[in-house]
Amino acid sequence: MAQAAKTTIGKLLYYSIKAAELGGKQVKYVVDSLNLDTTFKDINVDPVTVGDIRAHQAMVGVFGKFLPNIKVISEEDDSEKKIEPVDPAEWESVPLVSGEFLKLVDLDGGVNEDDVTVWIDPLDATKEYTEQLYEYVQVMVGIAVKGKAVAGVLHRPFLEPPVTYWAWKDHAVCPELKPFKIQRPANDVLKIVISRTVSHAGSVQQFADTAFGSKNFELVPRGGAGYKILQVILGHADAYLHITKIKKWDLCAGDGIVRALGGNVTSLAGEEIDYGQPAGGVKPDAMVNNGFIIAVTHSTLRLPHRCGELRYLQLLDPFGYTITSEIRLEVQ
């Protein structure tokens, strides 16, 4: 029997960062060109723009050139909107792994390519993108091995300069996520980020009232799944609560970073999310059906049994950040 082809997470992470940054370049290019050309996948729901598709093409191009055997699942596909194709020179010019990242390439001893699934969201927060709420926009890449998120990349193209957050469980974390402990008063109000979607507000409030009981908490609406996850990672919020369906490309990147920092992401039923390769078609199997909770704090959060099977969620110390445009690493 032929031996399974191998790759390394270090190599995957390097090209995931490059793909996210190239996707971000396309997202900004479309804004600068004043040609979003927004349409909808469903009637007035789930917008898709030229920015989504250009970022998708560029990112898939990077993986196709440098990691052609890796399963890549994107929120978008070329059939959703016909646009002028992105020039292949955009990804052909991506440099090979070099410098400090060479330290990571062979750090894990290799993984079977068949065990790897990469989930990409070329433009998270598309609705906010069309509303010029660019602070919420991110480009995201999540790396999963045998269904478990092990690394993630969150790129914010509209910061000046753009910032890329990334981490790899048990191996490396970017300088922007260097830890320092944020002391929050014991009686402080819990800040819980939730979706901006008005229709979700009542149900989330009811669930939170049950879940957090007598604790003081504030529900803070924010746009974009990646942005909400990042607010928790950076210590700007205590938790991110989502009680409806969500796609795995919205979660995998953030899940990978949270796990790398010592935390956990579970469904409201207390189950880990499986990011393995979907069976029988991408779209139906790309859904997380029963919500989830993410939290980063100095304490342990307990949800009562009546809120679902999630009883204990071990949390972690918050992380601060500094802005840099360089790809640098700190090996753990």
Side-chain angles (χ1 to χ4, degrees), residues 70-299:
I70 296 299
K71 178 67 173 179
V72 176
I73 302 172
S74 173
E75 178 178 6
E76 312 302 345
D77 62 65
D78 291 333
S79 66
E80 291 172 341
K81 180 185 284 289
K82 298 300 181 183
I83 67 167
E84 182 180 350
V86 176
D87 186 348
E90 294 281 355
W91 57 82
E92 294 286 347
S93 62
V94 169
L96 297 174
V97 183
S98 61
E100 287 187 314
F101 250 85
L102 286 173
K103 300 175 185 177
L104 293 183
V105 170
D106 297 317
L107 204 57
D108 60 351
V111 294
N112 291 337
E113 290 182 339
D114 290 344
D115 291 336
V116 176
T117 311
V118 173
W119 295 83
I120 68 175
D121 189 342
L123 200 170
D124 186 46
T126 299
K127 181 176 184 294
E128 287 75 13
Y129 182 65
T130 65
E131 296 169 350
Q132 299 182 23
L133 299 174
Y134 300 130
E135 65 175 312
Y136 296 129
V137 173
Q138 295 193 72
V139 180
M140 310 195 296
V141 184
I143 301 170
V145 177
K146 295 183 178 179
K148 293 185 179 296
V150 299
V153 180
L154 300 174
H155 177 64
R156 300 187 68 186
F158 288 101
L159 293 187
E160 291 295 340
V163 177
T164 305
Y165 303 94
W166 58 264
W168 172 17
K169 183 175 172 58
D170 298 328
H171 290 87
V173 59
C174 70
E176 291 79 7
L177 296 178
K178 288 181 179 178
F180 70 90
K181 191 166 186 177
I182 299 176
Q183 298 288 348
R184 293 179 64 86
N187 61 350
D188 200 13
V189 175
L190 291 173
K191 292 188 176 181
I192 303 167
V193 286
I194 63 171
S195 171
R196 291 176 67 235
T197 305
V198 175
S199 61
H200 294 172
S203 299
V204 174
Q205 181 71 56
Q206 184 178 13
F207 183 94
D209 286 339
T210 303
F212 301 109
S214 61
K215 292 186 177 68
N216 292 324
F217 66 87
E218 176 188 2
L219 299 182
V220 184
R222 292 290 184 265
Y227 182 86
K228 290 190 281 287
I229 294 172
L230 190 59
Q231 296 313 291
V232 175
I233 290 171
L234 299 179
H236 301 162
D238 295 290
Y240 170 17
L241 177 64
H242 190 92
I243 66 172
T244 58
K245 295 179 180 180
I246 193 168
K247 300 293 179 63
K248 292 179 181 178
W249 45 67
D250 291 316
L251 281 184
C252 189
D255 194 339
I257 293 177
V258 169
R259 288 176 185 273
L261 299 178
N264 197 20
V265 178
T266 65
S267 73
L268 296 180
E271 301 167 342
E272 290 191 354
I273 297 167
D274 183 358
Y275 298 101
Q277 297 183 12
V282 169
K283 299 298 184 181
D285 293 326
M287 190 78 73
V288 177
N289 290 306
N290 52 1
F292 64 89
I293 187 166
I294 301 171
V296 180
T297 180
H298 59 274
S299 62

Side-chain angles (χ1 to χ4, degrees), residues 5-17:
K6 286 185 173 289
T7 188
T8 69
I9 303 300
K11 181 178 180 181
L12 279 160
L13 179 58
Y14 175 81
Y15 287 114
S16 294
I17 293 169

Side-chain angles (χ1 to χ4, degrees), residues 36-39 47-54 81 123 126 129-130:
L36 267 64
D37 187 22
T38 305
T39 54
V48 58
T49 69
V50 173
D52 294 86
I53 303 303
R54 286 189 67 90
K81 180 185 284 289
L123 200 170
T126 299
Y129 182 65
T130 65

